[in-house]
Amino acid sequence: MRLVTWNVLWRFEPEWRARERAILTTLERLAPDVIGLQECWGTADQSQAHLFAERLGGVHAAFLGPSLPPVPQPPEHPDQAGVLMGVGLVSRWPIRSVRRHDLPVSHRQIAPVALEARIEHPEEPFDVIVAATEWEPEFADDHLAQTRRLAELLDAAAAGEPRFLLADLNCDRTQAEFAPIAAAADDTWELGGGDADAVTLSSEVPFAPLEATKEIDRRVDHILVSHGSGVAVESAFTVDAPVGDLFPSDHFPVVVDVRLGS
């Protein structure tokens, strides 16, 4: 099966509606089975995850919020008013349960959530966690606490059963915040022979957040799988090209192809 994780830049500029169409174009081309979304929008009657599920063929979706970053107050434009920042999941197979996990915070007023879901794959059910973590350098203690909590959730996988983390961790393998995750899970990027020099938050994108000095030009988006899961990773890559003349997001999606139960 094919898994994708992608920070899709909410309803931020530039041209969020055009970017959303470009995101869908990319996903249609990739034809993933499971998608984890960060900076995903949600309203009282719709979410970006559910919209994508409908457009990709009536598959299954879930959405939870709030997530990081905080939404602009006041809104930057009318399309942001009353819209939640969250994390989303799209799955080719039924989502049998969804659990909400509040991630630890000591600096912000609202805790971001991690979405944990049980997916009923016809051959082997598995769990998926979708999350986004802190990024501000001055909040590094929260960043580390959040990756430790995600590591605990990965460690809670039943023996031999796959549990995937699809996340914008705002750190790469060399940074301290990644260490708890590395102790709890295998990096599908390395297992799948992904390019060692790849980045997912690139200064080559015209609207990239260059002020994010801790994250820029690093591979900060990840798909990991719990130790001892029996999952074989066949490939791992990013999609770093614009659609037409527009980059769909400031992050590049991470794509991995895996086989269960090997």
Side-chain angles (χ1 to χ4, degrees):
M1 64 180 178
R2 172 165 285 181
L3 297 90
V4 170
T5 191
W6 201 350
N7 180 319
V8 291
L9 195 59
W10 194 61
R11 292 187 173 190
F12 291 118
E13 295 300 336
E15 305 177 70
W16 78 268
R17 291 183 184 276
R19 288 194 302 96
E20 185 173 79
R21 291 192 292 271
I23 291 165
L24 274 166
T25 296
T26 304
L27 292 174
E28 287 168 349
R29 185 169 66 248
L30 290 171
D33 299 297
V34 177
I35 310 166
L37 300 169
Q38 302 83 35
E39 295 192 30
C40 176
W41 61 257
T43 64
D45 55 5
Q46 181 66 290
S47 81
Q48 197 169 27
H50 288 86
L51 175 67
F52 285 1
E54 293 167 9
R55 300 286 177 85
L56 294 172
V59 290
H60 309 273
F63 172 86
L64 287 178
S67 187
L68 293 172
V71 299
Q73 295 294 343
E76 298 164 330
H77 53 77
D79 283 350
Q80 294 180 346
V83 180
L84 189 64
M85 180 79 68
V87 289
L89 173 67
V90 179
S91 171
R92 184 177 305 279
W93 303 287
I95 300 171
R96 291 303 183 201
S97 63
V98 174
R99 294 184 64 191
R100 174 193 185 97
H101 300 279
D102 292 339
L103 298 181
V105 291
S106 60
H107 300 283
R108 299 190 186 276
Q109 294 182 336
I110 298 175
V113 303
L115 185 161
E116 178 188 334
R118 181 72 165 180
I119 294 180
E120 288 297 326
H121 187 279
E123 296 178 9
E124 182 178 5
F126 59 89
D127 297 327
V128 172
I129 301 164
V130 185
T133 62
E134 183 58 64
W135 80 96
E136 295 279 9
E138 60 268 34
F139 299 163
D141 53 341
D142 280 358
H143 194 175
L144 183 57
Q146 290 167 13
T147 57
R148 284 174 173 163
R149 178 61 179 136
L150 292 172
E152 291 172 358
L153 295 176
L154 284 164
D155 268 337
E161 195 167 89
R163 177 168 288 198
F164 294 93
L165 174 63
L166 284 64
D168 174 4
L169 294 177
N170 280 307
C171 60
D172 69 15
R173 289 189 59 85
T174 70
Q175 294 172 294
E177 292 84 2
F178 195 87
I181 300 290
D186 296 320
D187 186 353
T188 62
W189 187 264
E190 294 192 343
L191 294 175
D195 181 356
D197 296 324
V199 303
T200 58
L201 187 65
S202 172
S203 58
E204 297 298 315
V205 176
F207 49 92
L210 301 182
E211 69 278 7
T213 55
K214 186 178 174 182
E215 296 83 23
I216 199 71
D217 291 326
R218 294 178 181 268
R219 183 170 62 87
V220 298
D221 301 271
H222 303 271
I223 298 178
L224 300 114
V225 62
S226 52
H227 289 323
S229 64
V231 168
V233 185
E234 298 181 336
S235 66
F237 60 96
T238 62
V239 180
D240 58 5
V243 176
D245 59 357
L246 180 65
F247 283 95
S249 177
D250 56 344
H251 288 243
F252 302 145
V254 172
V255 186
V256 300
D257 294 320
V258 306
R259 285 185 289 111
L260 296 174
S262 62

